[in-house]
Amino acid sequence: MTEATDFQRAYDDLLGQGLALDLTRGKPAPEQLDLAEEMLSLPGAGDHLSAAGVDVRNYGGDQGLPELREIFAELLNVPVAQLLALDNSSLSLMHDVLVYSLLHGRNGAEPWAGRSVKFLCPVPGYDRHFALCESMGIEMVPVALGERGPDVEQIAALVAEDPSIVGIWTVPTYANPTGAVYDEETVRALVSMPTAAPDFTIMWDNAYALHHLTDEEPAPIDVHGLAAAAGNPDRVISFASTSKITFAGAGVAFLGGSVETIAWFRNYAGFRSIGPNKVNQLRHVRFFGDAEGVRAHMRRHREIIAPKFDLALRILQERLGDAEAVRWSHPAGGYFITLEVADGTATRVVQLAKEAGIALTPAGASHPYRNDPDDRVIRLAPTMPSLAQLEAAIEGVAICVRLAAAEVPSQ
Ligand code: PLP
């Protein structure tokens, strides 16, 4: 009996299980959401004054509650004067930064609209970043992402020459989807390299800055300080949120930048809104108390999700440890595992899994224009399913990886 027949048989068994499992998106599990259940009754009737005596039920306060900004300034390593606390989605703040740059321009440069502009996209990367660019007609140029950040030599050569390259996406801590953590050398290079575009913008999406899976809890790099020291204070705009700390549907998002960038953003944001949801911000202040309260809360998240990562990694090792050309990331934080399968088979793996009732993020999603030239990268999101569901799903994925590789005619 050939290997291929073995794998086909295992796959036929998988089909017979009638699974309905979902490893597509990095959502918190219900037990994680339960950790913040008490927030639903905060701040509570009668508790509606901020520390400065402001009535949070009313309009205003476009920078967000100072006491919440202070807590997250410490956690994110951004000076409080350079950090805004806003509504529930950091992705929407990234959207707004792109829109304001397209319409009005940044750092005194021409608006991006009406001319050809490009963003560098470290790959594999976050599909929603790429979708934002695509929706706004910003051309995307893939650059290689390693374990300590993107290839800075490749980037330096590109940005020095081409004034139409106006930005780069980065997820510097536990990157989506590889788990890469940018080291300080990489960050220094990014904030200091000469760029042909005067408004070259590093979109510093620190979505997972506090989402450690081990007891090592490194503080975020002081990216704004490094940029200022390099003479490029306006180059970096940072983002974070409590979407995966409290409630993904009712968190608080943060935007950091130089004092000038913050003024630039507030100016245009002021046309869009008369102030953020300060009741929700006060609720977060009451729930956490201080930065240590957030750290303790994140450890409770870790207790729930670290065993899921351990389980997924153990099964991958057992089932695919000896599979040719198959490897995967071993993230120390964040929400994803990147699985690299045999070249040319990722699409087939995702299709086989789908037919067996296991939903995976489409192959190619981690690349601009959904084009993974090697058809190799698959993103696994282990947080949402229960341990039992996750076990069934990863076992199933492993069978699909084997079968897809066995289907490829040998050269
Ligand atoms: N940035 C990254 C890298 C993400 O992975 C996600 C969600 O998965 C987001 C941003 C979304 O953030 P928010 O919920 O604050 O809009």
Side-chain angles (χ1 to χ4, degrees):
M1 189 161 45
T2 64
E3 260 203 339
T5 348
D6 280 350
F7 296 139
Q8 185 63 53
R9 197 164 291 161
Y11 183 68
D12 291 342
D13 287 348
L14 187 68
L15 289 177
Q17 290 179 32
L19 299 175
L21 301 168
D22 190 341
L23 290 182
T24 54
R25 303 246 47 117
K27 289 187 189 173
E31 303 76 48
Q32 291 178 265
L33 301 174
D34 288 345
L35 293 175
E37 187 71 1
E38 190 198 330
M39 282 217 329
L40 293 179
S41 49
L42 294 171
D47 182 4
H48 50 252
L49 295 184
S50 74
V54 171
D55 190 332
V56 296
R57 298 170 302 178
N58 220 328
Y59 277 132
D62 74 310
Q63 300 186 75
L65 280 192
E67 49 269 51
L68 186 64
R69 290 164 58 215
E70 263 164 38
I71 293 174
F72 279 85
E74 176 181 334
L75 293 165
L76 298 170
N77 204 2
V78 178
V80 67
Q82 293 173 232
L83 187 71
L84 303 176
L86 298 166
D87 286 328
N88 80 312
S89 157
S90 61
L91 190 66
S92 60
L93 300 181
M94 299 174 219
H95 172 276
D96 289 354
V97 163
L98 296 184
V99 169
Y100 303 157
S101 303
L102 280 157
L103 292 178
H104 310 292
R106 232 168 72 67
N107 295 358
E110 286 294 302
W112 297 345
R115 59 192 173 107
S116 145
V117 288
K118 302 179 192 132
F119 252 65
L120 301 180
C121 300
V123 289
Y126 178 36
D127 53 354
R128 293 188 191 273
H129 287 164
F130 305 155
L132 274 181
C133 277
E134 204 172 351
S135 76
M136 295 183 197
I138 298 171
E139 194 185 321
M140 291 177 276
V141 180
V143 292
L145 176 66
E147 277 179 24
R148 292 180 190 160
D151 182 338
V152 285
E153 276 175 30
Q154 185 191 5
I155 293 171
L158 288 166
V159 297
E161 292 295 317
D162 185 350
S164 71
I165 299 178
V166 292
I168 183 170
W169 289 109
T170 63
V171 184
T173 320
Y174 311 132
N176 175 352
T178 70
V181 180
Y182 289 27
D183 65 9
E184 197 164 313
E185 204 181 319
T186 302
V187 179
R188 281 182 192 279
L190 288 173
V191 298
S192 59
M193 58 181 58
T195 63
D199 52 348
F200 181 75
T201 302
I202 300 176
M203 300 288 276
W204 186 262
D205 179 0
N206 223 347
Y208 300 105
L210 310 177
H211 303 62
H212 313 289
L213 284 169
T214 77
D215 53 16
E216 273 190 43
E217 301 177 355
I221 289 178
D222 173 16
V223 66
H224 296 292
L226 291 180
N232 296 311
D234 303 329
R235 183 173 291 186
V236 181
I237 306 184
S238 62
F239 305 89
S241 78
T242 67
S243 288
K244 287 165 183 156
I245 297 177
T246 55
F247 297 135
V252 176
F254 300 91
L255 181 143
S258 67
V259 171
E260 286 70 22
T261 297
I262 294 293
W264 170 86
F265 184 87
R266 286 176 68 196
N267 178 38
Y268 296 112
F271 297 112
R272 180 186 170 282
S273 161
I274 317 170
N277 181 342
K278 296 183 299 302
V279 174
N280 192 35
Q281 297 192 357
L282 187 62
R283 170 183 299 151
H284 279 73
V285 172
R286 294 289 184 261
F287 183 63
F288 289 124
D290 55 19
E292 199 42 46
V294 180
R295 293 192 189 99
H297 188 76
M298 292 315 290
R299 286 179 203 122
R300 291 191 272 278
H301 277 285
R302 184 180 122 201
E303 278 167 23
I304 296 172
I305 63 174
K308 296 185 179 181
F309 280 82
D310 291 346
L311 176 71
L313 293 170
R314 183 171 56 71
I315 298 172
L316 289 173
Q317 183 58 40
E318 280 169 13
R319 302 295 182 219
L320 298 172
D322 62 352
E324 209 178 315
V326 178
R327 9 173 231 220
W328 52 91
S329 59
H330 294 81
Y335 262 58
F336 303 101
I337 296 170
T338 294
L339 175 63
E340 287 183 33
V341 297
D343 278 6
T345 64
T347 305
R348 179 66 177 146
V349 170
V350 173
Q351 182 197 5
L352 287 168
K354 184 176 175 197
E355 283 161 15
I358 305 168
L360 298 177
T361 315
S366 55
H367 287 64
Y369 310 109
R370 294 161 295 283
N371 176 22
D372 172 1
D374 302 315
D375 192 21
R376 186 165 60 194
V377 176
I378 295 175
R379 183 180 84 166
L380 303 177
T383 56
M384 178 75 174
S386 66
L387 281 167
Q389 289 169 329
L390 181 67
E391 179 170 4
I394 302 287
E395 291 278 3
V397 168
I399 292 169
C400 299
V401 170
R402 292 282 197 176
L403 179 58
E407 285 174 351
V408 178
S410 45
Q411 313 279 313

